[in-house]
């Protein structure tokens, strides 16, 4: 990877935040983190990410509210945002795209799958909504 792409991971669970940051940094990305939607919105203009991984279930301001607030900010209407959730059913993935997300990543995640999906979102734009081929493995972890 010739240039470091910036990923902004937003999740209220510190363990997920730290693991995702470690994995993505190890793959050559620059990673910024926030533990809430409110903090993410405060930091968005400072970190200017290439992609946001946004947890769906967070207190105070959930991922859907945060996504809408990101999309309402000038200059961020088309910023790639992948919803990051333990819910992995097809209807959850379809709902995320209907709400304006670019992609959907199921937690817990396989390390290699997270990196591949992030690279795909950065390089190819919106993902097609398909059940993950790794879903049974991810659910067992």
């Amino acid at each position: 990877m010739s240039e470091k792409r910036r990923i902004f991971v937003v999740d209220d669970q510190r363990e997920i935040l730290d693991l995702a940051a470690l994995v993505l940094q190890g793959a050559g990305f620059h990673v910024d983190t926030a533990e809430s939607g409110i903090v993410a919105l405060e930091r968005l203009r400072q970190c200017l990410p290439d992609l946001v991984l946004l947890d769906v279930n967070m207190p105070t301001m959930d991922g859907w509210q945060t996504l809408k607030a990101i999309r309402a900010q000038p200059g961020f209407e088309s910023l790639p945002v992948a919803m990051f959730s333990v819910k992995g059913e097809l209807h959850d993935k379809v709902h995320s795209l209907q709400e304006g997300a670019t992609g959907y990543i199921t937690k817990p995640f396989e390390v290699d799958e997270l990196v591949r999906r992030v690279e795909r979102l950065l390089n190819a734009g919106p993902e097609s909504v398909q059940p993950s081929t790794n879903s049974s493995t991810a659910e067992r972890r």
Side-chain angles (χ1 to χ4, degrees):
M1 178 177 294
S2 60
E3 66 179 82
K4 272 196 168 188
R5 306 293 297 270
R6 188 175 291 266
I7 312 300
F8 193 17
V9 183
V10 183
D11 200 302
D12 64 316
Q13 294 183 338
R14 177 45 76 183
E15 305 82 34
I16 297 291
L17 211 54
D18 291 345
L19 179 59
L22 182 68
V23 167
L24 294 170
Q25 287 169 345
F29 297 103
H30 179 84
V31 180
D32 294 296
T33 62
E35 292 185 24
S36 73
I38 294 167
V39 172
L41 292 172
E42 291 170 358
R43 294 184 185 161
L44 189 62
R45 291 214 177 271
Q46 295 166 341
C47 66
L48 297 173
D50 296 299
L51 171 69
V52 177
L53 298 182
L54 181 58
D55 183 23
V56 172
N57 296 313
M58 295 184 290
T60 309
M61 177 180 252
D62 69 20
W64 304 118
Q65 294 166 319
T66 306
L67 176 62
K68 286 178 185 170
I70 290 171
R71 293 286 182 243
Q73 292 191 34
F76 293 102
E77 302 89 350
S78 62
L79 172 67
V81 177
M83 302 312 284
F84 206 31
S85 178
V86 295
K87 297 179 180 180
E89 298 297 320
L90 183 58
H91 64 86
D92 297 313
K93 296 174 184 183
V94 170
H95 176 74
S96 73
L97 295 177
Q98 290 171 336
E99 291 294 319
T102 312
Y104 194 95
I105 298 173
T106 305
K107 300 183 292 185
F109 51 84
E110 292 288 334
V111 170
D112 293 339
E113 182 180 11
L114 177 64
V115 172
R116 278 192 313 270
R117 291 182 141 237
V118 164
E119 288 173 347
R120 193 176 325 147
L121 282 161
L122 288 169
N123 296 327
E127 287 185 298
S128 61
V129 179
Q130 298 175 7
S132 170
T133 57
N134 237 0
S135 63
S136 61
T137 304
E139 289 170 9
R140 282 186 263 132
R141 289 186 50 173

